[in-house]
PDB file of all heavy atoms in Angstrom:
ATOM      1  N   MET A  28      61.259  14.270  34.376  1.00 77.00           N
ATOM      2  CA  MET A  28      61.712  13.555  33.244  1.00 77.00           C
ATOM      3  C   MET A  28      62.583  12.320  33.775  1.00 77.00           C
ATOM      4  O   MET A  28      63.560  12.607  34.372  1.00 77.00           O
ATOM      5  CB  MET A  28      62.601  14.405  32.383  1.00 77.00           C
ATOM      6  CG  MET A  28      62.990  13.773  30.931  1.00 77.00           C
ATOM      7  SD  MET A  28      61.559  13.671  29.869  1.00 77.00           S
ATOM      8  CE  MET A  28      62.418  13.139  28.366  1.00 77.00           C
ATOM      9  N   ARG A  29      62.162  11.152  33.364  1.00 90.00           N
ATOM     10  CA  ARG A  29      62.952   9.984  33.801  1.00 90.00           C
ATOM     11  C   ARG A  29      64.325   9.926  33.088  1.00 90.00           C
ATOM     12  O   ARG A  29      64.447  10.258  31.930  1.00 90.00           O
ATOM     13  CB  ARG A  29      62.115   8.669  33.546  1.00 90.00           C
ATOM     14  CG  ARG A  29      60.839   8.705  34.422  1.00 90.00           C
ATOM     15  CD  ARG A  29      60.324   7.198  34.375  1.00 90.00           C
ATOM     16  NE  ARG A  29      59.905   6.732  33.133  1.00 90.00           N
ATOM     17  CZ  ARG A  29      58.766   6.797  32.602  1.00 90.00           C
ATOM     18  NH1 ARG A  29      57.760   7.380  33.238  1.00 90.00           N
ATOM     19  NH2 ARG A  29      58.447   6.239  31.437  1.00 90.00           N
ATOM     20  N   LYS A  30      65.261   9.381  33.830  1.00 89.00           N
ATOM     21  CA  LYS A  30      66.621   9.180  33.201  1.00 89.00           C
ATOM     22  C   LYS A  30      66.534   8.047  32.255  1.00 89.00           C
ATOM     23  O   LYS A  30      65.913   7.038  32.453  1.00 89.00           O
ATOM     24  CB  LYS A  30      67.623   8.793  34.314  1.00 89.00           C
ATOM     25  CG  LYS A  30      68.009   9.931  35.241  1.00 89.00           C
ATOM     26  CD  LYS A  30      68.981   9.433  36.295  1.00 89.00           C
ATOM     27  CE  LYS A  30      69.281  10.475  37.350  1.00 89.00           C
ATOM     28  NZ  LYS A  30      70.159  10.073  38.397  1.00 89.00           N
ATOM     29  N   LYS A  31      67.166   8.195  31.099  1.00 95.00           N
ATOM     30  CA  LYS A  31      67.329   7.209  30.103  1.00 95.00           C
ATOM     31  C   LYS A  31      68.725   6.489  30.381  1.00 95.00           C
ATOM     32  O   LYS A  31      69.738   7.233  30.292  1.00 95.00           O
ATOM     33  CB  LYS A  31      67.358   7.760  28.673  1.00 95.00           C
ATOM     34  CG  LYS A  31      66.086   8.691  28.402  1.00 95.00           C
ATOM     35  CD  LYS A  31      64.801   7.928  28.605  1.00 95.00           C
ATOM     36  CE  LYS A  31      63.577   8.872  28.261  1.00 95.00           C
ATOM     37  NZ  LYS A  31      62.274   8.119  28.586  1.00 95.00           N
ATOM     38  N   ILE A  32      68.752   5.232  30.558  1.00 97.00           N
ATOM     39  CA  ILE A  32      69.897   4.500  30.975  1.00 97.00           C
ATOM     40  C   ILE A  32      70.085   3.281  30.172  1.00 97.00           C
ATOM     41  O   ILE A  32      69.120   2.555  29.961  1.00 97.00           O
ATOM     42  CB  ILE A  32      69.787   4.149  32.527  1.00 97.00           C
ATOM     43  CG1 ILE A  32      69.693   5.400  33.361  1.00 97.00           C
ATOM     44  CG2 ILE A  32      70.886   3.291  32.949  1.00 97.00           C
ATOM     45  CD1 ILE A  32      69.270   5.083  34.883  1.00 97.00           C
ATOM     46  N   VAL A  33      71.292   3.053  29.809  1.00 97.00           N
ATOM     47  CA  VAL A  33      71.671   1.742  29.162  1.00 97.00           C
ATOM     48  C   VAL A  33      72.945   1.248  30.093  1.00 97.00           C
ATOM     49  O   VAL A  33      73.975   1.962  30.085  1.00 97.00           O
ATOM     50  CB  VAL A  33      72.081   1.804  27.716  1.00 97.00           C
ATOM     51  CG1 VAL A  33      72.531   0.443  27.274  1.00 97.00           C
ATOM     52  CG2 VAL A  33      70.851   2.287  26.950  1.00 97.00           C
ATOM     53  N   ALA A  34      72.817   0.134  30.646  1.00 98.00           N
ATOM     54  CA  ALA A  34      73.882  -0.458  31.556  1.00 98.00           C
ATOM     55  C   ALA A  34      74.382  -1.711  30.991  1.00 98.00           C
ATOM     56  O   ALA A  34      73.544  -2.517  30.507  1.00 98.00           O
ATOM     57  CB  ALA A  34      73.353  -0.616  32.916  1.00 98.00           C
ATOM     58  N   GLY A  35      75.651  -1.874  31.038  1.00 98.00           N
ATOM     59  CA  GLY A  35      76.347  -3.048  30.442  1.00 98.00           C
ATOM     60  C   GLY A  35      76.949  -3.885  31.591  1.00 98.00           C
ATOM     61  O   GLY A  35      77.843  -3.442  32.206  1.00 98.00           O
ATOM     62  N   ASN A  36      76.357  -5.043  31.772  1.00 97.00           N
ATOM     63  CA  ASN A  36      76.863  -5.985  32.867  1.00 97.00           C
ATOM     64  C   ASN A  36      77.773  -7.005  32.254  1.00 97.00           C
ATOM     65  O   ASN A  36      77.313  -7.915  31.477  1.00 97.00           O
ATOM     66  CB  ASN A  36      75.646  -6.648  33.521  1.00 97.00           C
ATOM     67  CG  ASN A  36      76.048  -7.661  34.593  1.00 97.00           C
ATOM     68  OD1 ASN A  36      77.171  -7.582  35.046  1.00 97.00           O
ATOM     69  ND2 ASN A  36      75.151  -8.494  35.016  1.00 97.00           N
ATOM     70  N   TRP A  37      79.129  -6.802  32.546  1.00 98.00           N
ATOM     71  CA  TRP A  37      80.077  -7.676  31.922  1.00 98.00           C
ATOM     72  C   TRP A  37      80.165  -9.041  32.569  1.00 98.00           C
ATOM     73  O   TRP A  37      80.842  -9.924  32.052  1.00 98.00           O
ATOM     74  CB  TRP A  37      81.425  -7.002  31.962  1.00 98.00           C
ATOM     75  CG  TRP A  37      81.552  -5.639  31.209  1.00 98.00           C
ATOM     76  CD1 TRP A  37      80.528  -5.120  30.527  1.00 98.00           C
ATOM     77  CD2 TRP A  37      82.636  -4.786  31.176  1.00 98.00           C
ATOM     78  NE1 TRP A  37      80.998  -3.878  29.910  1.00 98.00           N
ATOM     79  CE2 TRP A  37      82.273  -3.664  30.262  1.00 98.00           C
ATOM     80  CE3 TRP A  37      83.948  -4.886  31.691  1.00 98.00           C
ATOM     81  CZ2 TRP A  37      83.146  -2.640  30.062  1.00 98.00           C
ATOM     82  CZ3 TRP A  37      84.834  -3.778  31.352  1.00 98.00           C
ATOM     83  CH2 TRP A  37      84.433  -2.707  30.548  1.00 98.00           C
ATOM     84  N   LYS A  38      79.590  -9.149  33.799  1.00 97.00           N
ATOM     85  CA  LYS A  38      79.543 -10.413  34.541  1.00 97.00           C
ATOM     86  C   LYS A  38      81.073 -10.817  34.737  1.00 97.00           C
ATOM     87  O   LYS A  38      81.887  -9.958  34.999  1.00 97.00           O
ATOM     88  CB  LYS A  38      78.814 -11.552  33.858  1.00 97.00           C
ATOM     89  CG  LYS A  38      77.289 -11.006  33.577  1.00 97.00           C
ATOM     90  CD  LYS A  38      76.405 -12.051  33.015  1.00 97.00           C
ATOM     91  CE  LYS A  38      74.915 -11.475  32.765  1.00 97.00           C
ATOM     92  NZ  LYS A  38      74.012 -12.439  32.423  1.00 97.00           N
ATOM     93  N   MET A  39      81.349 -12.170  34.673  1.00 98.00           N
ATOM     94  CA  MET A  39      82.705 -12.586  34.949  1.00 98.00           C
ATOM     95  C   MET A  39      83.456 -12.821  33.605  1.00 98.00           C
ATOM     96  O   MET A  39      83.757 -13.885  33.223  1.00 98.00           O
ATOM     97  CB  MET A  39      82.832 -13.838  35.796  1.00 98.00           C
ATOM     98  CG  MET A  39      84.136 -14.136  36.333  1.00 98.00           C
ATOM     99  SD  MET A  39      84.186 -15.556  37.556  1.00 98.00           S
ATOM    100  CE  MET A  39      84.058 -16.867  36.463  1.00 98.00           C
ATOM    101  N   ASN A  40      83.622 -11.721  32.864  1.00 98.00           N
ATOM    102  CA  ASN A  40      84.267 -11.723  31.557  1.00 98.00           C
ATOM    103  C   ASN A  40      85.316 -10.715  31.416  1.00 98.00           C
ATOM    104  O   ASN A  40      85.294  -9.609  32.120  1.00 98.00           O
ATOM    105  CB  ASN A  40      83.232 -11.613  30.454  1.00 98.00           C
ATOM    106  CG  ASN A  40      82.240 -12.673  30.357  1.00 98.00           C
ATOM    107  OD1 ASN A  40      82.639 -13.843  29.962  1.00 98.00           O
ATOM    108  ND2 ASN A  40      80.887 -12.450  30.769  1.00 98.00           N
ATOM    109  N   LYS A  41      86.164 -10.918  30.453  1.00 98.00           N
ATOM    110  CA  LYS A  41      87.328  -9.979  30.074  1.00 98.00           C
ATOM    111  C   LYS A  41      88.453 -10.024  31.046  1.00 98.00           C
ATOM    112  O   LYS A  41      88.296  -9.856  32.301  1.00 98.00           O
ATOM    113  CB  LYS A  41      86.800  -8.553  29.970  1.00 98.00           C
ATOM    114  CG  LYS A  41      85.664  -8.393  29.005  1.00 98.00           C
ATOM    115  CD  LYS A  41      86.086  -8.523  27.512  1.00 98.00           C
ATOM    116  CE  LYS A  41      85.028  -8.249  26.547  1.00 98.00           C
ATOM    117  NZ  LYS A  41      85.450  -8.484  25.172  1.00 98.00           N
ATOM    118  N   VAL A  42      89.638 -10.186  30.488  1.00 98.00           N
ATOM    119  CA  VAL A  42      90.952  -9.934  31.240  1.00 98.00           C
ATOM    120  C   VAL A  42      91.170  -8.407  31.160  1.00 98.00           C
ATOM    121  O   VAL A  42      90.452  -7.692  30.403  1.00 98.00           O
ATOM    122  CB  VAL A  42      92.134 -10.748  30.741  1.00 98.00           C
ATOM    123  CG1 VAL A  42      91.838 -12.226  30.912  1.00 98.00           C
ATOM    124  CG2 VAL A  42      92.392 -10.435  29.252  1.00 98.00           C
ATOM    125  N   LEU A  43      92.132  -7.966  31.942  1.00 98.00           N
ATOM    126  CA  LEU A  43      92.317  -6.558  32.039  1.00 98.00           C
ATOM    127  C   LEU A  43      92.528  -5.800  30.724  1.00 98.00           C
ATOM    128  O   LEU A  43      91.877  -4.694  30.421  1.00 98.00           O
ATOM    129  CB  LEU A  43      93.516  -6.186  32.979  1.00 98.00           C
ATOM    130  CG  LEU A  43      93.759  -4.648  33.231  1.00 98.00           C
ATOM    131  CD1 LEU A  43      92.465  -3.968  33.776  1.00 98.00           C
ATOM    132  CD2 LEU A  43      95.018  -4.521  34.113  1.00 98.00           C
ATOM    133  N   ASP A  44      93.325  -6.288  29.890  1.00 98.00           N
ATOM    134  CA  ASP A  44      93.643  -5.622  28.637  1.00 98.00           C
ATOM    135  C   ASP A  44      92.408  -5.547  27.778  1.00 98.00           C
ATOM    136  O   ASP A  44      92.110  -4.512  27.136  1.00 98.00           O
ATOM    137  CB  ASP A  44      94.728  -6.322  27.822  1.00 98.00           C
ATOM    138  CG  ASP A  44      96.160  -6.104  28.503  1.00 98.00           C
ATOM    139  OD1 ASP A  44      96.281  -5.264  29.308  1.00 98.00           O
ATOM    140  OD2 ASP A  44      97.028  -6.789  28.054  1.00 98.00           O
ATOM    141  N   GLU A  45      91.668  -6.525  27.806  1.00 98.00           N
ATOM    142  CA  GLU A  45      90.343  -6.639  27.014  1.00 98.00           C
ATOM    143  C   GLU A  45      89.308  -5.637  27.623  1.00 98.00           C
ATOM    144  O   GLU A  45      88.576  -4.906  26.833  1.00 98.00           O
ATOM    145  CB  GLU A  45      89.657  -8.060  27.088  1.00 98.00           C
ATOM    146  CG  GLU A  45      90.534  -9.009  26.260  1.00 98.00           C
ATOM    147  CD  GLU A  45      90.072 -10.439  26.508  1.00 98.00           C
ATOM    148  OE1 GLU A  45      89.461 -10.678  27.609  1.00 98.00           O
ATOM    149  OE2 GLU A  45      90.367 -11.263  25.630  1.00 98.00           O
ATOM    150  N   ALA A  46      89.301  -5.546  28.980  1.00 98.00           N
ATOM    151  CA  ALA A  46      88.354  -4.514  29.525  1.00 98.00           C
ATOM    152  C   ALA A  46      88.740  -3.144  29.231  1.00 98.00           C
ATOM    153  O   ALA A  46      87.787  -2.359  28.985  1.00 98.00           O
ATOM    154  CB  ALA A  46      88.325  -4.779  31.109  1.00 98.00           C
ATOM    155  N   VAL A  47      89.998  -2.804  29.204  1.00 98.00           N
ATOM    156  CA  VAL A  47      90.530  -1.516  28.785  1.00 98.00           C
ATOM    157  C   VAL A  47      90.122  -1.128  27.400  1.00 98.00           C
ATOM    158  O   VAL A  47      89.698  -0.042  27.189  1.00 98.00           O
ATOM    159  CB  VAL A  47      91.989  -1.287  29.227  1.00 98.00           C
ATOM    160  CG1 VAL A  47      92.495   0.016  28.604  1.00 98.00           C
ATOM    161  CG2 VAL A  47      92.230  -1.268  30.672  1.00 98.00           C
ATOM    162  N   ALA A  48      90.385  -2.072  26.579  1.00 98.00           N
ATOM    163  CA  ALA A  48      90.150  -1.918  25.103  1.00 98.00           C
ATOM    164  C   ALA A  48      88.646  -1.690  24.871  1.00 98.00           C
ATOM    165  O   ALA A  48      88.313  -0.799  24.100  1.00 98.00           O
ATOM    166  CB  ALA A  48      90.704  -3.084  24.380  1.00 98.00           C
ATOM    167  N   LEU A  49      87.817  -2.421  25.502  1.00 98.00           N
ATOM    168  CA  LEU A  49      86.362  -2.266  25.348  1.00 98.00           C
ATOM    169  C   LEU A  49      85.929  -0.964  25.852  1.00 98.00           C
ATOM    170  O   LEU A  49      85.142  -0.178  25.152  1.00 98.00           O
ATOM    171  CB  LEU A  49      85.611  -3.387  26.132  1.00 98.00           C
ATOM    172  CG  LEU A  49      84.097  -3.368  26.210  1.00 98.00           C
ATOM    173  CD1 LEU A  49      83.473  -3.329  24.745  1.00 98.00           C
ATOM    174  CD2 LEU A  49      83.533  -4.446  26.933  1.00 98.00           C
ATOM    175  N   THR A  50      86.419  -0.446  26.942  1.00 98.00           N
ATOM    176  CA  THR A  50      86.063   0.869  27.540  1.00 98.00           C
ATOM    177  C   THR A  50      86.406   1.899  26.609  1.00 98.00           C
ATOM    178  O   THR A  50      85.685   2.848  26.334  1.00 98.00           O
ATOM    179  CB  THR A  50      86.632   1.050  28.874  1.00 98.00           C
ATOM    180  OG1 THR A  50      86.303  -0.021  29.774  1.00 98.00           O
ATOM    181  CG2 THR A  50      86.244   2.351  29.480  1.00 98.00           C
ATOM    182  N   SER A  51      87.688   1.877  26.117  1.00 97.00           N
ATOM    183  CA  SER A  51      88.216   2.880  25.162  1.00 97.00           C
ATOM    184  C   SER A  51      87.305   2.956  23.913  1.00 97.00           C
ATOM    185  O   SER A  51      87.079   4.073  23.431  1.00 97.00           O
ATOM    186  CB  SER A  51      89.668   2.647  24.866  1.00 97.00           C
ATOM    187  OG  SER A  51      90.493   2.651  25.980  1.00 97.00           O
ATOM    188  N   GLU A  52      87.040   1.822  23.373  1.00 97.00           N
ATOM    189  CA  GLU A  52      86.208   1.819  22.165  1.00 97.00           C
ATOM    190  C   GLU A  52      84.829   2.357  22.473  1.00 97.00           C
ATOM    191  O   GLU A  52      84.364   3.180  21.608  1.00 97.00           O
ATOM    192  CB  GLU A  52      86.028   0.408  21.632  1.00 97.00           C
ATOM    193  CG  GLU A  52      87.325  -0.229  21.114  1.00 97.00           C
ATOM    194  CD  GLU A  52      87.281  -1.672  20.894  1.00 97.00           C
ATOM    195  OE1 GLU A  52      86.115  -2.240  21.064  1.00 97.00           O
ATOM    196  OE2 GLU A  52      88.336  -2.349  20.539  1.00 97.00           O
ATOM    197  N   LEU A  53      84.260   2.120  23.524  1.00 96.00           N
ATOM    198  CA  LEU A  53      82.880   2.600  23.864  1.00 96.00           C
ATOM    199  C   LEU A  53      82.950   4.170  24.054  1.00 96.00           C
ATOM    200  O   LEU A  53      82.005   4.834  23.634  1.00 96.00           O
ATOM    201  CB  LEU A  53      82.327   1.960  25.153  1.00 96.00           C
ATOM    202  CG  LEU A  53      81.942   0.429  24.949  1.00 96.00           C
ATOM    203  CD1 LEU A  53      81.623  -0.191  26.337  1.00 96.00           C
ATOM    204  CD2 LEU A  53      80.809   0.287  24.064  1.00 96.00           C
ATOM    205  N   ILE A  54      83.924   4.628  24.665  1.00 95.00           N
ATOM    206  CA  ILE A  54      83.950   6.090  24.927  1.00 95.00           C
ATOM    207  C   ILE A  54      84.082   6.724  23.583  1.00 95.00           C
ATOM    208  O   ILE A  54      83.421   7.832  23.312  1.00 95.00           O
ATOM    209  CB  ILE A  54      85.292   6.429  25.816  1.00 95.00           C
ATOM    210  CG1 ILE A  54      85.044   5.934  27.246  1.00 95.00           C
ATOM    211  CG2 ILE A  54      85.534   7.875  25.825  1.00 95.00           C
ATOM    212  CD1 ILE A  54      86.270   5.984  28.099  1.00 95.00           C
ATOM    213  N   THR A  55      84.957   6.285  22.680  1.00 94.00           N
ATOM    214  CA  THR A  55      85.139   6.850  21.369  1.00 94.00           C
ATOM    215  C   THR A  55      83.883   6.884  20.566  1.00 94.00           C
ATOM    216  O   THR A  55      83.423   7.869  20.020  1.00 94.00           O
ATOM    217  CB  THR A  55      86.223   6.232  20.606  1.00 94.00           C
ATOM    218  OG1 THR A  55      87.482   6.329  21.271  1.00 94.00           O
ATOM    219  CG2 THR A  55      86.437   6.827  19.208  1.00 94.00           C
ATOM    220  N   MET A  56      83.168   5.701  20.522  1.00 93.00           N
ATOM    221  CA  MET A  56      82.013   5.548  19.778  1.00 93.00           C
ATOM    222  C   MET A  56      80.841   6.416  20.365  1.00 93.00           C
ATOM    223  O   MET A  56      80.004   7.021  19.621  1.00 93.00           O
ATOM    224  CB  MET A  56      81.579   4.015  19.723  1.00 93.00           C
ATOM    225  CG  MET A  56      82.527   3.182  18.946  1.00 93.00           C
ATOM    226  SD  MET A  56      81.908   1.453  18.977  1.00 93.00           S
ATOM    227  CE  MET A  56      83.253   0.717  17.955  1.00 93.00           C
TER     228      MET A  56
END
């Protein structure tokens, strides 16, 4: 069974506070 994967490439975006907020929102959702 192949792994089902969704990867998010943020590239050169987000300052630290924004990166942390995005991660927290994604984990909750």
Side-chain angles (χ1 to χ4, degrees):
M28 189 74 176
R29 296 196 297 267
K30 291 179 182 176
K31 308 302 182 183
I32 297 170
V33 177
N36 179 16
W37 298 358
K38 306 188 180 184
M39 196 176 70
N40 291 293
K41 302 293 185 184
V42 296
L43 180 58
D44 288 349
E45 294 170 336
V47 168
L49 175 58
T50 303
S51 298
E52 291 168 7
L53 289 171
I54 291 170
T55 299
M56 291 178 179

